Amino acid sequence: MSEHVKHLEPPQLQAFELAFSNWKDAAKRVDSARARLRMWLIFLLLRHTGARLGEILSLDDTRAFDRERSLVRLGGAERVREVPLPDEVFREIDDVLEGPAGCGARGDFFQVDPGYFRRICYARGKECGLPRDLAGPQVLRNTRAVEMLRTGVPITVVKEVLGQSSLNLTAAFQQFSPGDVTSIMQRAVRRKTSARNAFVGHVTGVVRDSVMAEVVIETRSGQRLSAVITVDSLRNLKIEPGVPVAATVKAPLVNVVASEGAPVAASARNRLRATILRVTESPVLAEVLGRTEDGSDVCALISMDSARELDLKPGDRAEFWFKALSVVLNTV
């Protein structure tokens, strides 16, 4: 995710929600309790839908909620999107709307002044120690997007939930923390692939003809890789810019080139610089293991004759090459 996208980490979000809930429960008068309930429900909808503030404030509460499926309908008449809500959140909203607090306000229950709601947010944020720039409606939208991506919701689904027109906009929320990377890699391993090399990233470009497509991937560290797959695979995997993917390459398909010496001409599109960790030899083959600057391990299986010629030792620098056609893609 872009460093410029402000969002709340789980402990901050929990504290913010608790501050809002305590403020709501502290109302003394009936009119104050009703007003605070309105602010609380707006907060809940922003927190759980990732909607824009204007979308929530313009809701017609008599038509927007589907009780049977526990969802809310957002967006204008031309493009309505349905966003599921947690059952307990939906029940709380429904109880308020159908109870005394909703009487006389149905149809425009959520139509309050946006500036007033923002001031309420800033005050609740101050109470729980959040800076002003982390206590607004836009941050709640950003936080919901990051939350969905971190729990494995496909980026294409997040795009639809947010009501964004382009995956490029949604991709701004994409972030792989160390824990995310571990989780994604574990899921990739559970696919029972025999590939020794796996790289996690997101798609930055696709070039296609009638049969084949070249997919460009950028890893978390900024390393670019190319894969060539069929157009049918591209379509089945729903690969497009912004989609997170795992790229795998079997070790026998990786070549090793010593960094020192004259440049070598080759057709391999993917070339990773790495430091040699170890060389494990057998009578026929040698396994060469290296580590790139971003900490990714890369492995090659080469002949013993090649290994003797290269004479690589731990600490040496080398390049690991593999063709775009050797890369297998999986969406994550």
Side-chain angles (χ1 to χ4, degrees):
M1 179 182 56
S2 168
E3 295 180 356
H4 302 295
V5 177
K6 293 182 172 63
H7 69 286
L8 299 176
E9 294 296 337
Q12 294 174 308
L13 179 60
Q14 185 177 13
F16 196 20
E17 188 166 343
L18 181 61
F20 239 104
S21 179
N22 290 340
W23 172 76
K24 177 256 301 180
D25 293 339
K28 302 297 184 184
R29 304 188 312 271
V30 173
D31 58 339
S32 176
R34 178 177 175 179
R36 293 189 182 191
L37 270 175
R38 294 175 83 172
M39 299 300 108
W40 169 243
L41 295 196
I42 292 170
F43 173 86
L44 285 181
L45 285 168
L46 290 169
R47 184 259 177 274
H48 290 285
T49 66
R52 302 172 182 86
L53 177 60
E55 291 180 309
I56 301 301
L57 300 188
S58 63
L59 281 178
D60 179 347
D61 57 89
T62 63
R63 302 166 58 185
F65 297 96
D66 187 326
R67 287 183 177 177
E68 292 185 1
R69 295 188 290 162
S70 296
L71 58 79
V72 58
R73 296 185 179 90
L74 299 168
E78 296 182 357
R79 188 187 180 194
V80 177
R81 65 187 191 278
E82 298 180 336
V83 180
L85 293 169
D87 288 340
E88 65 277 10
V89 173
F90 190 92
R91 284 195 299 270
E92 182 170 1
I93 293 172
D94 192 51
D95 288 346
V96 172
L97 293 177
E98 294 298 320
C103 292
R106 296 307 305 270
D108 59 359
F109 186 88
F110 298 103
Q111 294 177 17
V112 302
D113 177 66
Y116 176 67
F117 179 78
R118 287 192 177 89
R119 290 193 293 274
I120 296 297
C121 281
Y122 298 147
R124 306 290 76 76
K126 185 176 181 180
E127 288 172 359
C128 65
L130 291 179
R132 185 183 177 92
D133 63 348
L134 287 181
Q138 182 62 47
V139 172
L140 289 174
R141 175 173 166 83
N142 297 350
T143 300
R144 182 59 184 143
V146 172
E147 186 178 53
M148 287 188 286
L149 289 167
R150 284 180 171 177
T151 54
V153 178
I155 195 169
T156 50
V157 175
V158 177
K159 168 182 170 289
E160 293 303 316
V161 171
L162 297 181
Q164 293 186 312
S165 59
S166 168
L167 273 176
N168 289 333
L169 297 173
T170 315
F173 298 110
Q174 185 68 65
Q175 172 172 302
F176 296 123
S177 69
D180 301 333
V181 173
T182 300
S183 176
I184 290 169
M185 291 304 300
Q186 288 173 342
R187 292 200 297 271
V189 169
R190 285 195 291 268
R191 292 191 181 96
K192 298 181 180 179
T193 176
S194 61
R196 293 292 304 277
N197 303 293
F199 308 93
V200 175
H202 65 276
V203 176
T204 58
V206 177
V207 178
R208 55 183 290 178
D209 57 25
S210 59
V211 180
M212 304 298 291
E214 181 183 24
V215 181
V216 179
I217 307 138
E218 183 174 316
T219 68
R220 179 170 172 258
S221 64
Q223 175 71 52
R224 287 181 175 267
L225 301 175
S226 293
V228 172
I229 61 176
T230 65
V231 169
D232 285 343
S233 296
L234 186 79
R235 188 181 302 112
N236 292 337
L237 293 172
K238 298 181 180 179
I239 288 178
E240 56 182 298
V243 171
V245 293
T248 59
V249 188
K250 290 188 176 182
L253 301 177
V254 180
N255 293 322
V256 183
V257 179
S259 293
E260 288 77 16
V264 178
S267 60
R269 292 291 305 277
N270 301 297
R271 306 182 181 191
L272 302 180
R273 286 182 167 272
T275 300
I276 300 300
L277 296 180
R278 69 171 183 264
V279 179
T280 305
E281 300 179 351
S282 74
V284 179
L285 296 173
E287 179 189 75
V288 183
L289 182 65
R291 180 163 293 166
T292 63
E293 290 184 358
D294 68 352
S296 300
D297 288 350
V298 57
C299 179
L301 282 179
I302 61 176
S303 70
M304 271 305 303
D305 287 343
S306 296
R308 292 190 188 99
E309 184 178 343
L310 290 168
D311 191 28
L312 293 170
K313 296 178 179 59
D316 290 349
R317 296 287 292 170
E319 291 186 354
F320 289 74
W321 294 7
F322 48 92
K323 293 185 177 182
L325 281 166
S326 300
V327 179
V328 176
L329 296 182
N330 290 292
T331 51
V332 295

